[in-house]
Amino acid sequence: MAQNVYDRPDFFKRYSQFPRSIHGLAGAPEWPEIRSMLPKLAGLRVADLGCGYGWFCRWARENGAASVLGLDLSEKMLARARAMTSDDGVTYSIADLEHLNIPIASFDLVYSSLAFHYVEDAARLFASIYKSLVPGGHLVFTTEHPIFMASLNPGWRTADDGHRLWPVDHYFVEGERKTDWLTSGVIKYHRTMATTLTSLQKAGFRIEQVKEFCPTTDQVAADPLLQEEIDRPTFLLIAAQK
């Protein structure tokens, strides 16, 4: 079973203070880019893997999705999602993405935001998603970028001349990374870019778009803290089709 840090009281409290937790999709700087990668949602059956508070689930319904299933490992996240949702077209359920088992050929779109880096066996996950999609169905997801995740001791460093550096070490040593993020001992799984793309192709997907999130000039002007995102990629965005 995947680690469930989101139900730890200290983690959940701190996570709930993030802009993306307070403002939803509008609080996620990568959202405009990922939104541009989505198919038209009218009439689609959608699954959101790692749905959190259900922001995308509700947005999908508002934009024409026929039904949305939100899956998450966290009871606390799902309780918040249910409390914020008043739509019979959206349902929520507990699921461990490490052992995902959803009905075959039941969805037109599978979406996920920043959840796949918690999954150790990406090949199994992609194969399960592929089976759950109808022919021509779409997978659109974001995950932490391998450059951001690779280091065994991530964090900004200061060079001798004073400028900041982001370390990239152990890039080709894939597997578990344990970091202190909002709480101690958060486990994530690093994979190279090649491993992720190859795993998708072996599952049967045709890769349509690959993007690395970089804030726009307007975004940096509105939020100067985003300036550091220009120095190294944080998120990898991928759209694929069955």
Side-chain angles (χ1 to χ4, degrees):
M1 183 174 180
Q3 183 190 48
N4 181 12
V5 295
Y6 285 83
D7 276 346
R8 294 183 187 176
D10 58 336
F11 188 101
F12 187 78
K13 180 180 179 180
R14 290 167 183 160
Y15 184 83
S16 67
Q17 297 168 358
F18 277 173
R20 67 180 63 231
S21 299
I22 297 170
H23 304 295
L25 301 177
E30 75 279 10
W31 170 242
E33 198 68 38
I34 196 72
R35 183 178 58 198
S36 73
M37 300 167 70
L38 292 166
K40 293 182 179 179
L41 296 180
L44 299 191
R45 295 163 297 170
V46 178
D48 181 358
L49 308 185
C51 64
Y53 288 8
W55 293 107
F56 179 80
C57 296
R58 293 185 292 276
W59 180 87
R61 278 286 287 165
E62 291 166 2
N63 284 269
S67 63
V68 185
L69 172 63
L71 300 177
D72 206 285
L73 184 61
S74 167
E75 292 275 10
K76 288 183 179 293
M77 288 288 187
L78 290 177
R80 182 69 62 89
R82 292 186 179 108
M84 297 173 70
T85 304
S86 55
D87 182 348
D88 292 340
V90 179
T91 57
Y92 298 105
S93 184
I94 286 282
D96 181 358
L97 299 188
E98 199 70 72
H99 304 286
L100 183 67
N101 185 17
I102 51 180
I104 294 173
S106 296
F107 300 100
D108 305 290
L109 167 66
V110 172
Y111 172 86
S112 184
S113 173
L114 302 180
F116 288 178
H117 48 261
Y118 294 114
V119 176
E120 182 176 11
D121 191 347
R124 184 195 183 283
L125 174 63
F126 293 150
S128 180
I129 293 170
Y130 187 85
K131 291 177 183 178
S132 77
L133 288 167
V134 298
H138 299 266
L139 168 62
V140 180
F141 69 95
T142 66
T143 187
E144 287 190 358
H145 198 288
I147 285 178
F148 180 76
M149 290 189 67
S151 179
L152 298 183
N153 186 23
W156 292 106
R157 304 287 188 272
T158 303
D160 292 340
D161 63 3
H163 76 276
R164 295 189 315 163
L165 300 171
W166 185 266
V168 180
D169 58 84
H170 294 79
Y171 182 83
F172 289 107
V173 181
E174 299 184 314
E176 182 179 303
R177 297 292 190 271
K178 188 174 290 187
T179 62
D180 293 338
W181 179 65
L182 303 184
T183 191
S184 61
V186 176
I187 296 174
K188 302 176 183 179
Y189 294 93
H190 164 66
R191 287 176 280 274
T192 66
M193 179 87 75
T195 291
T196 294
L197 298 180
T198 300
S199 296
L200 285 165
Q201 290 175 324
K202 285 183 176 180
F205 283 104
R206 181 177 73 253
I207 297 169
E208 295 187 307
Q209 295 185 66
V210 177
K211 298 184 180 182
E212 298 164 299
F213 170 68
C214 180
T216 65
T217 301
D218 289 343
Q219 284 180 313
V220 173
D223 183 2
L225 292 177
L226 289 174
Q227 178 65 42
E228 71 177 24
E229 305 300 331
I230 295 175
D231 294 332
R232 54 96 176 90
T234 310
F235 305 136
L236 179 64
L237 291 63
I238 296 178
Q241 188 171 20
K242 181 171 180 176

